[in-house]
Amino acid sequence: MYTHTDLARLQSQSLKMQGYIRQQTFSPENEKHLRRFSSWEVAELILGLNPSTFRGRLAADPSLPQGQVEEDGRQRWYSLEEINELRRRLRHKGKPLLPPRPAGKRAIRAAVANFKGGAGKSTVALHFAHAAALDGYRVLCVDFDPQATLSHSMGLSDVAEEYTVWGIMARDLIRETERMNASGRGAESGTALPERKLPPSVTGMGLDDLRVTDFIKATSWPTIDLVPSCANAAFVEFASAQYRHLNPEWSFFAAVERYLAQLPADAYDIVIFDCPPAIGYQSMNAVFAADVLYIPSGPGYWEYDSTTSFIGQLSEALEDLGRFRGAVPAGTEPEKHFADIRFLLTRFEPNNDLHRAMQQAFHKVFASHVAEHPIEMTRAVEQSGRFLSSVYEIDYRNMTRETWRRARASFDRAYDEFRATLVAAWDKLED
């Protein structure tokens, strides 16, 4: 017979293995560091310039970042900060190299969500975040998944649960309850509304004193920040159910939306949500705060079946929220609208007949909502997952350049389509 103590022992053994893997993957200081990028990567793959043109620009203006030169003097390597300075200062065909961003708009938000575990949600979120950073965007990732794969891949593993989405939700409960009580005491009708009371176990955690930025952690990428998750945050579903009982009028599904609204509009350009493989309190917060819904799916029948179930149950959940009035301001309708919804096939093998057949099925059913470019399964993709890194982080010298370029090209195409979707959705946001 086995009890929770046996599970704890197994976890302890696994944590030791995690430590070993981190030592093999990260630096000797157990920290993840972003590599430098070669001059041909910067020119051809990041800035979209001819390498010879790029070299000419550097030679003509010595004040531009020159990178670090290899000992043999043949290759220069640039940090992301240097790449961004080049992007700000260089022009190509009379146009700046900065990515498009509508003026006066807040950051655009995309939720990567599906029921199916292993559909590639964290992989997609990680690669899109890294591609966006290389594209010149400032990115905020929010890890809603208690498995914390995205957080670990970003180099964050020692995270206290109060600094996760659970902390944001508990903090929101406290503040919303205080607001409701203050509003109730000042009602114009003179009718005294019942005061909502929270136990010390909630109010005594000190969450109300946390600043908005306290939940945001820096990553090894200088233009990517993260609201992390951790394994201990798995109890958020149980805690949130208790919180709703303590204050039934609390609009739990809008907690993260209210949190993000407290950030300056120009603090970030893109916000990416990595959702858990379930519809619950965390995933509904992500969906409700998102402008665009990206749904990754494997190319098999069971993945298709799971995706169908996911959008059906999500529809029902959103319909239920549409009946919720609670603390929503009078005269407003809490019905959720998305600027766009996209289905993205992952782990796709172009030469696999079944995969091609399922791709046709997705296009036939979901039509224009299916992303044109699937993410292909390559050896480089498998290796990136094994080392908790994206293809963009892997040094191409660790494998054949063609293998690396093929994997990167697949993610580049998917990201370009993702960016186009977000830019179009951006125009639909209110200033």
Side-chain angles (χ1 to χ4, degrees):
M1 303 295 288
Y2 300 96
T3 67
H4 65 89
T5 57
D6 298 289
L7 294 173
R9 176 178 53 80
L10 293 174
Q11 185 211 24
S12 177
Q13 295 173 354
S14 181
L15 288 174
K16 292 179 181 178
M17 177 57 71
Q18 282 185 0
Y20 172 76
I21 294 174
R22 285 176 61 85
Q23 289 175 4
Q24 303 302 311
T25 306
F26 299 159
S27 68
E29 298 81 19
N30 210 28
E31 294 181 358
K32 192 169 189 177
H33 295 288
L34 180 60
R35 71 177 178 93
R36 286 179 168 264
F37 299 86
S38 65
S39 56
W40 77 266
E41 286 180 272
V42 174
E44 182 179 340
L45 301 179
I46 298 177
L47 299 181
L49 301 174
N50 183 285
S52 61
T53 300
F54 180 59
R55 290 192 296 269
R57 297 284 186 88
L58 294 178
D61 187 354
S63 70
L64 291 172
Q66 301 293 316
Q68 290 184 356
V69 182
E70 286 183 338
E71 292 183 1
D72 60 13
R74 293 189 303 172
Q75 186 70 275
R76 294 179 183 271
W77 295 83
Y78 292 83
S79 68
L80 183 55
E81 292 93 338
E82 291 172 327
I83 294 172
N84 284 332
E85 184 176 350
L86 289 168
R87 190 183 291 280
R88 287 189 294 268
R89 296 179 57 184
L90 290 177
R91 298 177 71 87
H92 182 55
K93 297 181 179 179
K95 297 181 180 180
L97 298 178
L98 296 171
R101 192 199 197 287
K105 306 279 188 178
R106 64 159 172 79
I108 188 76
R109 307 167 188 164
V112 182
N114 201 340
F115 261 168
K116 186 71 175 173
K121 293 183 294 295
S122 297
T123 298
V124 169
L126 180 71
H127 280 79
F128 281 178
H130 289 173
L134 288 176
D135 204 16
Y137 287 114
R138 298 160 301 164
V139 183
L140 174 65
C141 294
V142 184
D143 192 352
F144 287 84
D145 192 347
Q147 297 178 84
T149 301
L150 181 62
S151 297
H152 294 165
S153 297
M154 289 285 188
L156 296 173
S157 59
D158 300 322
V159 179
E161 55 263 28
E162 59 264 31
Y163 296 104
T164 66
V165 169
W166 168 77
I168 290 175
M169 294 180 67
R171 173 180 178 269
D172 183 78
L173 169 67
I174 297 170
R175 295 195 169 194
E176 281 296 288
T177 301
E178 291 175 348
R179 182 189 63 79
M180 292 177 193
N181 287 337
S183 175
R185 288 192 293 271
E188 294 182 3
S189 64
T191 303
L193 298 177
E195 183 170 350
R196 306 151 187 88
K197 295 183 179 180
L198 301 177
S201 60
V202 176
T203 58
M205 292 186 291
L207 295 173
D208 192 36
D209 299 327
L210 294 178
R211 300 163 298 181
V212 175
T213 54
D214 287 337
F215 297 95
I216 298 174
K217 308 301 178 185
T219 72
S220 58
W221 289 67
T223 52
I224 300 179
D225 289 336
L226 174 71
V227 176
S229 183
C230 67
N232 288 345
F235 70 90
V236 69
E237 298 299 318
F238 302 101
S240 299
Q242 178 189 15
Y243 296 160
R244 288 194 68 190
H245 177 73
L246 295 173
N247 184 353
E249 294 177 289
W250 173 50
S251 52
F252 70 92
F253 54 86
V256 173
E257 162 72 30
R258 283 188 288 265
Y259 167 77
L260 292 174
Q262 298 173 52
L263 295 173
D266 61 350
Y268 299 97
D269 303 310
I270 297 175
V271 183
I272 297 177
F273 304 143
D274 184 22
C275 300
I279 292 180
Y281 292 99
Q282 294 185 86
S283 57
M284 290 312 298
N285 261 273
V287 166
F288 193 81
D291 305 303
V292 173
L293 183 61
Y294 242 72
I295 305 174
S297 174
Y301 172 78
W302 295 116
E303 287 92 344
Y304 171 79
D305 181 71
S306 178
T307 299
T308 302
S309 297
F310 170 72
I311 59 177
Q313 294 192 35
L314 181 59
S315 172
E316 294 176 0
L318 290 173
E319 183 181 9
D320 289 341
L321 294 187
R323 303 190 185 101
F324 187 92
R325 289 300 179 266
V328 176
T332 64
E333 175 60 46
E335 184 177 9
K336 176 61 189 174
H337 296 88
F338 298 106
D340 208 338
I341 299 174
R342 291 296 173 101
F343 298 86
L344 173 65
L345 287 177
T346 59
R347 307 195 321 276
F348 185 77
E349 298 174 9
N351 297 324
N352 187 307
D353 291 339
L354 173 61
H355 289 191
R356 290 200 304 270
M358 292 309 303
Q359 183 183 38
Q360 293 175 3
F362 268 89
H363 278 282
K364 185 174 182 179
V365 174
F366 302 119
S368 61
H369 291 291
V370 181
E372 180 181 354
H373 299 289
I375 294 175
E376 297 181 13
M377 173 57 72
T378 68
R379 192 174 72 85
V381 173
E382 292 177 334
Q383 187 166 329
S384 68
R386 187 163 62 250
F387 290 103
L388 298 176
S389 301
S390 74
V391 168
Y392 300 103
E393 291 178 300
I394 293 178
D395 193 321
Y396 59 84
R397 294 171 297 181
N398 293 335
M399 60 183 70
T400 64
R401 184 178 295 196
E402 183 57 34
T403 299
W404 179 85
R405 291 195 68 158
R406 179 187 167 197
R408 163 146 188 170
S410 178
F411 280 106
D412 282 348
R413 290 190 295 267
Y415 166 73
D416 288 343
E417 195 171 354
F418 175 72
R419 187 182 86 162
T421 300
L422 295 193
V423 171
W426 235 330
D427 290 332
K428 301 176 184 179
L429 296 184
E430 295 181 2
D431 293 339

